[in-house]
Amino acid sequence: MTMRSCLSIVLAAGLGTRMKSDLPKVMHEIGGLPLVGHVVKALEQAGSDRISVVTGPAMSELEALVHDIAPGVSCHVQEERLGTAHAALAARPALETAAEDVLVLFGDTPLVTAETIGAVRKSLEEGADVAVLGFETRHPFGYGRLLTENGRLVAIREEKDATDEERRITLCNSGIMGFRGSQALALLEAIGNENIKGEYYLTDAVEIANARGLTVVAVAGEEVETQGINTRAQLASCEADYQARMRRAALENGCTLLAPDTVFFSHDTHLEPDVTVEQNVVFGPGVRISKGARIRAFSHLEGAVVGEGSVVGPYARLRPGAVLGAETRIGNFVEVKNATFAPGAKANHLSYIGDASVGSKSNIGAGTITCNYDGFLKHRTEIGAGSFVGSSSTLVAPVSLGDDVFIAAGSVITEDVPHGALAFGRARQVVKDGKAVQLKTRLKSAKEAAREAKGQSAGDAAGDAKS
Ligand code: UD1
Ligand code: CA
């Protein structure tokens, strides 16, 4: 990676009207990360030491989100939307501080990779004054076309301003442009708005640079990385391409995916080698799975850590704060939230374990519920090591069970249980010899009496009708 200083300007002032959304376009998500976040992360990875995001008026939510994702990013407001060159100039304070490379990118083009950004920077390093990332497409409609002559990039023509002949060109502008830092501000300032839309087009920098005798090049990119998002359909197809990329990466990193197309990743899903993921698994943000673990079919995980060799699912739900140690078992219809399972602990069936800690090798029986919420506050349940919680137990938090405790099945536990103790929290069973037969006889005659009474009143009713 180059060590040159780099200022990147991400344009995100557009409303994205075609999304038909109350949310600014770049706040929509791919793989659980807002579009603008993808661009910023790729820039950070590509070694851009300064990043500015240009937002529109009244987009404080977007600014907060950007700072959340990358605290070092500066935001600038473009007060009027007068075009992409005008938007880039909204970052003037940043442009006035020297950088060797200046990049301009669009916030609605989330799939660009650090490698591709690196290729644009490399061409600047090799002497280009302006470098444009282009791509070949069979569907060029709506994109600016790259006009080349003997391998030189002479101009970019916007769809609306192009001649029929120019519209047949399939080499398009991705929107990602690099400038030699010392030229950037002067080129942007020279751009006018004499075109059909009356906008200041960033793309005009190419013709201006050529007129000034500067070196202008096109860098080849891939359509799958450069596709822009203007509509919900494009958002969906971008998500599909992103998922395909994540699945490939997981397989390349040594994970087994039994049915890759049915596994859904977040941008930050981290799977170590030799993890196996079965069919129809969804990873929300913030999941880490250690070596050799198996995530069985139809499980949903979010904000969870799964230790080495553990087995989760089928049909398990791990919510934020679920931290499973090595060799743990979380079985079908078990929900775990903000709870730690020490190594070897198990909850195999039909349980809710929330705001809790479960000690090593403890076993949580089927149907156990931690009652963590009293309608106002959340409370914790602590369970020691080597303990056994019988099926269908209700642990009313705050409550703490020691090590090697045994809770009888069906207990409602409201008080702490010390180490090694056996606790029952249920009514004692009563057995009455022969009483079942007596009870049945009584119930049977009651039923017959009821039937007779009904027959009589039906007869009365029929009699009434005749008279
Ligand atoms: C732009 C390019 C086109 C390229 C295409 C790639 C120009 C003139 N055209 O067209 O050559 O092929 O992207 O997807 O640059 N924005 C602002 N302020 C503005 C206008 C736009 O911040 O005043 C932002 C938008 O939020 C968006 C980006 O700039 O993120 C691109 O704007 P958009 O209107 O979508 O440009 P396209 O017509 O797609
Ligand atoms: Ca666009």
Side-chain angles (χ1 to χ4, degrees):
M1 195 184 0
T2 170
M3 295 305 289
R4 289 153 63 90
S5 59
C6 177
L7 163 68
S8 301
I9 302 171
V10 181
L11 308 188
L15 287 171
T17 35
R18 282 170 286 175
M19 296 291 281
K20 300 187 178 147
S21 173
D22 288 343
L23 212 57
K25 177 164 68 177
V26 298
M27 288 178 76
H28 286 265
E29 295 180 350
I30 294 279
L33 181 70
L35 304 183
V36 67
H38 284 271
V39 180
V40 166
K41 294 234 152 163
L43 284 168
E44 284 179 338
Q45 256 180 35
S48 178
D49 49 318
R50 280 158 61 209
I51 301 172
S52 295
V53 173
V54 176
T55 66
M59 286 192 182
S60 54
E61 255 179 279
L62 171 58
E63 280 184 35
L65 180 99
V66 165
H67 287 136
D68 218 36
I69 294 169
V73 170
S74 66
C75 287
H76 306 270
V77 179
Q78 182 193 19
E79 296 294 347
E80 272 183 291
R81 291 181 186 84
L82 302 180
T84 46
H86 182 261
L89 280 170
R92 182 184 284 277
L95 280 161
E96 281 169 348
T97 320
E100 284 163 285
D101 298 342
V102 170
L103 304 181
V104 180
L105 303 92
F106 295 162
D108 67 355
T109 309
L111 298 191
V112 64
T113 61
E115 293 76 60
T116 300
I117 294 168
V120 174
R121 294 192 65 192
K122 185 152 176 280
S123 68
L124 295 174
E125 196 173 359
E126 288 169 355
D129 294 295
V130 177
V132 175
L133 182 71
F135 64 101
E136 278 290 347
T137 176
R138 292 199 295 159
H139 310 287
F141 180 81
Y143 288 113
R145 311 298 206 282
L146 302 193
L147 311 189
T148 54
E149 246 167 48
N150 308 320
R152 276 182 47 245
L153 179 59
V154 295
I156 302 178
R157 194 73 73 233
E158 290 305 299
E159 174 83 32
K160 287 207 167 115
D161 301 287
T163 63
D164 286 347
E165 195 186 336
E166 285 167 343
R167 285 193 181 136
R168 279 195 287 275
I169 296 172
T170 52
L171 181 60
C172 292
N173 174 27
S174 69
I176 295 168
M177 280 173 90
F179 297 90
R180 179 191 296 279
S182 55
Q183 303 281 357
L185 190 53
L187 285 172
L188 291 172
E189 280 177 328
I191 293 170
N193 63 350
E194 300 81 38
N195 51 56
I196 291 201
K197 284 172 90 182
E199 284 189 0
Y200 295 87
Y201 287 166
L202 178 64
T203 44
D204 283 352
V206 169
E207 265 181 290
I208 296 168
N210 274 305
R212 293 181 180 187
L214 301 176
T215 311
V216 185
V217 302
V219 177
E222 296 284 338
E223 184 172 10
V224 63
E225 280 191 38
T226 57
Q227 58 188 315
I229 294 175
N230 295 323
T231 63
R232 302 267 183 173
Q234 287 167 335
L235 181 69
S237 93
C238 232
E239 177 78 50
D241 286 334
Y242 184 70
Q243 291 299 331
R245 182 191 283 180
M246 295 299 278
R247 289 166 191 144
R248 264 196 314 277
L251 295 168
E252 276 162 18
N253 290 341
C255 297
T256 294
L257 307 181
L258 295 192
D261 289 349
T262 68
V263 178
F264 292 84
F265 291 96
S266 281
H267 65 103
D268 59 353
T269 306
H270 182 83
L271 309 184
E272 286 184 3
D274 281 325
V275 164
T276 298
V277 183
E278 296 184 2
Q279 299 86 342
N280 297 293
V281 170
V282 175
F283 294 105
V287 174
R288 302 181 67 83
I289 314 280
S290 296
K291 272 204 307 222
R294 188 176 187 98
I295 311 301
R296 304 201 58 201
F298 297 99
S299 294
H300 190 286
L301 297 81
E302 186 181 357
V305 175
V306 176
E308 226 174 290
S310 292
V311 180
V312 172
Y315 298 97
R317 178 160 185 218
L318 301 186
R319 291 172 52 202
V323 177
L324 311 182
E327 306 294 335
T328 53
R329 297 280 178 277
I330 299 296
N332 43 261
F333 308 108
V334 174
E335 175 179 345
V336 180
K337 184 217 74 172
N338 189 29
T340 57
F341 276 66
K346 294 177 186 168
N348 268 324
H349 331 267
L350 303 157
S351 290
Y352 171 63
I353 307 298
D355 300 307
S357 66
V358 180
S360 68
K361 299 210 163 130
S362 282
N363 187 21
I364 308 294
T368 296
I369 305 289
T370 54
C371 306
N372 59 327
Y373 187 50
D374 56 17
F376 297 94
L377 292 170
K378 300 274 170 67
H379 303 283
R380 290 194 62 83
T381 300
E382 316 284 352
I383 301 170
S387 289
F388 181 93
V389 177
S391 296
S392 204
S393 289
T394 303
L395 308 175
V396 183
V399 72
S400 139
L401 318 184
D403 298 335
D404 299 310
V405 152
F406 194 108
I407 305 294
S411 290
V412 176
I413 299 296
T414 54
E415 284 164 32
D416 292 354
V417 181
H419 295 317
L422 166 65
F424 287 84
R426 64 188 189 208
R428 186 170 285 278
Q429 181 172 321
V430 178
V431 177
K432 297 185 175 175
D433 280 334
K435 279 279 186 190
V437 179
Q438 283 177 27
L439 178 66
K440 276 184 171 172
T441 313
R442 210 177 71 219
L443 293 175
K444 193 175 170 203
S445 46
K447 185 175 173 185
E448 274 162 10
R451 193 183 285 155
E452 240 164 63
K454 198 177 162 200
Q456 209 143 39
S457 70
D460 289 351
D464 288 349
K466 258 184 234 155
S467 63

